[in-house]
């Protein structure tokens, strides 16, 4: 895909959303079937099923996906797609690119071992490694725009309200 193709694909959407802002509002969905005998959840995605379970640091076997890893993978996916789309829009040729995401967890928190240990990530780091002839100014602009337009990065940086209920 080149910049003209990307603009052509997005132009009608941008026009629609400017003229009818409500058309841009969507509710995304996810659901999972909780395991009968094991602490697992089968997530049914549009691209197959994923069985999530305990991380080995909390007693899991390591055979199942870990939700913490999935969060980092979601960030890597969103940031990587955003990175490439922004690079295309800017006319920056990218070769051999990858995104690396790391997150720090203190598993004492989620196991209830230490009340002062946080439950959740205390830090997340993301970096891009790529080959390009882009100038330092273009690279800085690319990174700034990826941070601005990556949905998962913005959600982590500015958490939405979260309601939890029993049905």
């Amino acid at each position: 895909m080149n910049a003209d193709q990307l603009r052509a694909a997005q132009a009608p959407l941008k026009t629609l959303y400017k003229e009818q802002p409500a058309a841009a509002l969507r509710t995304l969905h996810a659901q999972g079937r909780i395991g009968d005998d094991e602490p697992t959840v089968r997530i049914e995605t549009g691209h197959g099923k994923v069985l999530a379970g305990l991380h080995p640091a909390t007693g899991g076997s390591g055979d199942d996906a870990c939700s913490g890893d999935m969060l980092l993978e979601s960030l890597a996916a969103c940031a990587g797609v955003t990175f490439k789309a922004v690079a295309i829009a800017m006319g920056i040729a990218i070769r051999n690119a990858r995104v690396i995401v790391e997150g720090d967890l203190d598993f004492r928190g989620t196991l209830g071992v230490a009340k002062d240990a946080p439950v959740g990530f205390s830090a997340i780091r993301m970096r891009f490694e790529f080959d390009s002839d882009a100038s330092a100014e273009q690279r800085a602009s690319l990174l700034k725009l990826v941070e601005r337009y990556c949905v998962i990065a913005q959600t982590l940086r500015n958490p939405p309200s979260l309601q939890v209920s029993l049905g």
Side-chain angles (χ1 to χ4, degrees), residues 123-167:
I124 296 176
R125 295 169 300 284
M126 179 171 55
R127 77 177 182 279
F128 296 90
E129 295 177 351
F130 63 100
D131 182 25
S132 176
D133 295 328
S135 68
E137 182 178 300
Q138 287 174 309
R139 288 171 181 258
S141 181
L142 174 60
L143 184 60
K144 181 179 177 181
L145 291 171
V146 169
E147 286 185 271
R148 179 176 178 184
Y149 292 117
C150 175
V151 170
I152 304 301
Q154 284 297 323
T155 301
L156 291 170
R157 184 164 282 146
N158 305 294
S161 65
L162 175 66
Q163 295 95 33
V164 179
S165 64
L166 295 173

Side-chain angles (χ1 to χ4, degrees), residues 106-120:
D106 182 341
F107 285 100
R108 295 175 306 153
T110 192
L111 287 176
V113 172
K115 292 194 184 288
D116 63 331
V119 177

Side-chain angles (χ1 to χ4, degrees), residues 1 8 26 35 37 59 71-72 148 153:
M1 178 176 276
R26 307 287 169 88
D37 300 323
L71 176 73
L72 299 179
R148 179 176 178 184

